Amino acid sequence: MAQRLGTVARLWHQVSLGAGSASQGLASASAGHLGGCASVYGAQGGLMLRGLASAAASTSATVAPHAAARGGSRSSLSKGLQGLIHNYKQLSKFKLSSLVVLTAAGGYVAGSGEVIDWAVLGWTALGTFGAAACANTLNQMYEVANDARMTRTAARPLPAGRMTLLHAGVFALCMGTAGVAILYEKANPLTASLGVANIVLYAAVYTPLKQISYLNTWVGALVGAIPPLMGWAASSGTLEPGAAVLAAALFSWQMPHFMALAWMCKDDYVRGGFAMLSRFDPSGMRTAGVALRHTAALAPLGLLAVAANVATWPFAFEAAALAAAMAVPTVRFHAAPGPATARVMFRASLMYLPVLMALMAIHRTPNTRVSWGELSGRLGDAAGPGVSGAARALARGACGAAEALEESVSGVASRLDGGMILSYVKCPSRVYAEDGTSGRGGSEGGDGAAAAAGGGGADGTGAGAAQGQSGGVP
């Protein structure tokens, strides 16, 4: 008897909590089970138990639809949120943007001094992702009709109709503004300027050029070479020869990577109306030749990294061996251009970059700010007396041109700092200090706080330079 009454008590407890369909099934089962109690407990006891079970079943029938409705709304909300996140990931090209963040992080670590400021590295990665997501979204907004004709891209949110252009535009604006603001506030104006330049170059130059000329791939490779510069600038506050070595590695790596992709998706790109080199190369020899030349260009980059004091000597040999491994599928693709050989080359390129970054991080040396003149002298010493005077002069000229370009980029970023809208969009604590409203020291106290927080230097580098000195982009 106690056992059966316990069953009834548990049943009623579940019903009173609105357990929905589960309690309804339990009530139905109990009703049949309790019906036989009349023979044991008498007519009145059996009647009472039947009535209790009937009430439980009735209550369950009332509660179940409401519980199901609430559960259905929660399920719909969850599915809707998951779908929205999935659309945002596709708009941002999440995997590609993550690769961009990896290269920026590599530049940050390589450009750091004895101590790596991990907090600033995290902010730099976040800001870089925002800028990359913005650029990729703008790219897809421009190419909706093209993507709809391609098998590889037809399922993206815009061509598939899962999202409006306005929605995508708001997402791009939010990601770009937040990303650049983070880079400006947590790193420095130079890093933020490089982020803006990358968005403009990708969305306003590379994207429309894809439908005009096969040279778009070279412009796209230039876009992909900027994120390591962003990372280096965030850690050191300036650009130096080591940053150029990283950018050169990213530029050359992208050519076999994208040439393989262009060949594998050749027909798809033609349907989409894109002017890739593979479209004008029936034999595949030109496409394979570009991939082979840039793979060969990867071989001496380890030596350049050592000369720029980015890494120790073992990295030179490891980078050369890694380039040789990358060359094997590239040579095979050159010998027999086809989807199979292109796919192997593409997969090799995906492995090459993270391994190269990992090896560079393992063998990194603290940034000693090697100048272009020092790099030129070290390269001459490494080459030995057998190198002609013309080759040495060419190397000196290249280093001089690179130094002039570096100074120009830094100068433009410094001048933009005073006129950028972001210079007026600052964190509340900084505005609070600069306005002198803290009640302690007036404007002089505010200026002192701002100088202490941001370096306050006259060179225009601001907060990021101070952070870079203290150890703090495709």
Side-chain angles (χ1 to χ4, degrees):
M1 175 178 180
Q3 182 179 4
R4 296 185 178 184
L5 288 176
T7 302
V8 174
R10 285 194 298 271
L11 169 65
W12 183 254
H13 178 66
Q14 285 187 338
V15 172
S16 66
L17 292 178
S21 60
S23 62
Q24 184 178 12
L26 198 57
S28 299
S30 299
H33 174 70
L34 295 173
C37 291
S39 59
V40 180
Y41 306 113
Q44 291 181 344
L47 184 60
M48 178 185 68
L49 292 175
R50 285 195 188 94
L52 182 59
S54 178
S58 176
T59 306
S60 297
T62 303
V63 171
H66 295 285
R70 287 195 299 270
S73 63
R74 292 194 193 99
S75 177
S76 299
L77 181 62
S78 176
K79 290 180 179 179
L81 182 60
Q82 290 176 359
L84 186 62
I85 293 173
H86 178 69
N87 288 338
Y88 285 154
K89 288 177 68 175
Q90 286 191 309
L91 277 180
S92 65
K93 299 181 182 177
F94 184 81
K95 292 181 180 179
L96 177 60
S97 294
S98 299
L99 190 62
V100 169
V101 170
L102 172 66
T103 61
Y108 186 95
V109 171
S112 297
E114 292 284 351
V115 179
I116 299 174
D117 192 328
W118 297 105
V120 179
L121 172 57
W123 285 115
T124 301
L126 185 62
T128 302
F129 184 88
C134 171
N136 287 324
T137 301
L138 293 174
N139 167 268
Q140 292 182 61
M141 291 174 64
Y142 187 89
E143 296 178 349
V144 175
N146 306 81
D147 286 347
R149 297 194 295 267
M150 295 179 62
T151 304
R152 190 171 66 92
T153 57
R156 287 176 176 174
L158 292 174
R162 298 196 307 273
M163 185 175 288
T164 64
L165 280 174
L166 177 61
H167 189 162
V170 171
F171 175 74
L173 179 63
C174 292
M175 295 299 290
T177 302
V180 173
I182 288 171
L183 294 174
Y184 181 89
E185 186 67 34
K186 298 298 184 179
N188 50 54
L190 176 57
T191 309
S193 299
L194 289 170
V196 172
N198 223 21
I199 293 173
V200 173
L201 190 60
Y202 188 85
V205 180
Y206 166 71
T207 296
L209 192 62
K210 286 172 67 178
Q211 302 179 44
I212 300 172
S213 171
Y214 65 81
L215 294 176
N216 70 81
T217 306
W218 280 258
V219 177
L222 182 61
V223 172
I226 293 179
L229 299 181
M230 295 169 62
W232 189 288
S235 62
S236 70
T238 186
L239 296 176
E240 293 153 330
V245 173
L246 293 178
L250 264 294
F251 182 88
S252 290
W253 165 80
Q254 288 176 93
M255 301 311 289
H257 177 79
F258 284 116
M259 290 298 162
L261 183 64
W263 191 260
M264 288 190 298
C265 304
K266 179 179 179 179
D267 295 336
D268 220 13
Y269 278 121
V270 171
R271 281 193 297 270
F274 294 117
M276 312 305 289
L277 179 60
S278 57
R279 180 177 182 176
F280 311 101
D281 181 24
S283 67
M285 295 306 296
R286 293 174 64 191
T287 303
V290 171
L292 188 59
R293 287 192 294 272
H294 282 275
T295 300
L298 294 172
L301 288 175
L303 178 61
L304 289 174
V306 173
N309 206 33
V310 174
T312 56
W313 270 105
F315 178 73
F317 301 104
E318 292 168 354
L322 194 60
M326 177 72 193
V328 173
T330 308
V331 170
R332 290 176 177 170
F333 176 65
H334 188 270
T341 52
R343 187 173 297 106
V344 175
M345 184 173 70
F346 181 77
R347 290 174 178 171
S349 69
L350 291 177
M351 296 177 60
Y352 173 89
L353 188 61
V355 173
L356 180 73
M357 290 293 174
L359 291 173
M360 185 175 292
I362 292 171
H363 298 292
R364 90 171 191 99
T365 59
N367 184 9
T368 57
R369 301 185 180 277
V370 174
S371 68
W372 287 99
E374 290 176 305
L375 176 61
S376 176
R378 290 180 181 184
L379 290 176
D381 294 340
V387 178
S388 65
R392 293 176 184 273
L394 181 62
R396 286 194 298 270
C399 288
E403 184 175 15
L405 179 61
E406 171 203 319
E407 292 175 353
S408 298
V409 172
S410 299
V412 168
S414 179
R415 287 192 293 272
L416 284 175
D417 183 25
M420 284 179 66
I421 295 177
L422 285 171
S423 64
Y424 302 100
V425 182
K426 302 177 181 177
C427 67
S429 61
R430 184 170 296 180
V431 174
Y432 190 64
E434 291 176 349
D435 288 345
T437 56
S438 62
R440 294 182 298 173
S443 61
E444 291 182 2
D447 292 340
D459 59 356
T461 54
Q467 292 167 350
Q469 294 288 351
S470 64
V473 206

